Amino acid sequence: MVYDFHTHTSLSDGDLSPMELIRRAVVNDYQAIALTDHVSLGELSRVIQEVTEVCTLARSYWNILAIPGVELTHLPPQAIAEAARRAKELGAWLVVVHGETIFEPVEKGTNLAALQSPNVDLLAHPGLLSLEEAQLAANNGVFLEICARQGHCLTNGHVASLALQAGAKLLLSSDAHSDQDLLTTPLTDAIVHGTGLDDVACHQVLNLHPQTFIKKLPISDE
Ligand SMILES: [Zn+2]
Ligand SMILES: [Zn+2]
């Protein structure tokens, strides 16, 4: 059973249409997939409208929780809280922020701004986040990502160890940009164990935290 809360489609820089990505996820035994294309302010309303319609269609016919979301990417940190608020107002169930990965020149202050925004749910690939930031994540209920994506994954061990220390919750996501990036059960198991967490903590990341995360979503099927 696979949960994945961070993926990309042709609405931004992913290869597959939203519908095809969900179809591939169904075939990969996914329980839930969030479609979280890159947005700033300009694309927000168009992307949320399109992804919402596709996710609703998928949920009506297939046994998968398809979640309409966005990933706020490379915004000035000062604009993150307002963009997250607007994303929720426009109907996004989930707001991810593209965190300070060591692999891209993400502006410093992005992690902090995300962790202080009440409408942000998941901080993706937070890079070399600090203990204070991990504590903020724990206090504000923002989940921290263990990222399967090449480059972004280089700091997974650091993120896992600080989250454990601070009591912040971790989620594994693929940050998939094509069908080949989608997760499988053996892969999720290996990546999470690869962070150095013990078996109990791995079980939490793979099973309990995704369920807690899903319970927070404004799931609104008739
Ligand atoms: Zn991308
Ligand atoms: Zn991403």
Side-chain angles (χ1 to χ4, degrees):
M1 210 182 269
V2 180
Y3 302 92
D4 194 349
F5 299 102
H6 176 186
T7 68
H8 296 279
T9 76
S10 54
L11 292 178
S12 61
D13 60 352
D15 291 345
L16 301 179
S17 70
M19 201 81 243
E20 182 170 355
L21 186 68
I22 300 170
R23 181 65 208 148
R24 300 276 189 155
V26 170
V27 171
N28 269 35
D29 207 20
Y30 270 48
Q31 177 89 357
I33 185 169
L35 273 50
T36 55
D37 275 298
H38 299 292
V39 292
S40 62
L41 283 179
E43 316 87 334
L44 209 53
S45 124
R46 171 181 62 83
V47 167
I48 292 171
Q49 192 201 331
E50 291 190 28
V51 83
T52 298
E53 285 194 36
V54 176
C55 286
T56 304
L57 182 60
R59 290 195 309 275
S60 322
Y61 292 96
W62 295 334
N63 187 25
I64 189 167
L65 180 64
I67 300 164
V70 289
E71 183 181 20
L72 302 177
T73 307
H74 288 295
L75 271 77
Q78 300 87 334
I80 287 174
E82 172 61 12
R85 193 190 63 75
R86 276 174 59 179
K88 288 284 171 73
E89 200 176 80
L90 288 163
W93 290 8
L94 163 60
V95 174
V96 179
V97 168
H98 186 84
E100 293 176 41
T101 170
I102 60 170
F103 205 58
E104 285 175 31
V106 177
E107 189 173 343
K108 187 154 174 45
T110 296
N111 283 353
L112 194 61
L115 295 168
Q116 290 172 332
S117 300
N119 291 298
V120 170
D121 305 290
L122 172 62
L123 177 60
H125 40 68
L128 294 171
L129 95 158
S130 66
L131 182 59
E132 292 70 31
E133 288 169 339
Q135 282 159 346
L136 205 54
N139 292 339
N140 294 349
V142 180
F143 286 65
L144 299 174
E145 183 186 65
I146 298 297
C147 191
R149 190 160 181 76
Q150 191 182 11
H152 300 333
C153 67
L154 292 169
T155 53
N156 280 348
H158 169 77
V159 172
S161 119
L162 284 192
L164 192 69
Q165 228 178 305
K169 289 195 171 69
L170 292 164
L171 280 181
L172 170 67
S173 308
S174 68
D175 196 0
H177 286 65
S178 78
D179 58 303
Q180 284 158 15
D181 299 335
L182 287 175
L183 300 168
T184 59
T185 304
L187 189 61
T188 59
D189 224 55
I191 294 169
V192 173
H193 278 88
T195 64
L197 292 174
D198 66 19
D199 284 348
V200 174
C202 288
H203 175 71
Q204 289 179 336
V205 175
L206 290 167
N207 299 291
L208 304 181
H209 293 176
Q211 288 162 21
T212 308
F213 193 70
I214 286 171
K215 284 202 192 98
K216 286 178 45 180
L217 299 174
I219 297 175
S220 56
D221 274 346
E222 302 76 39

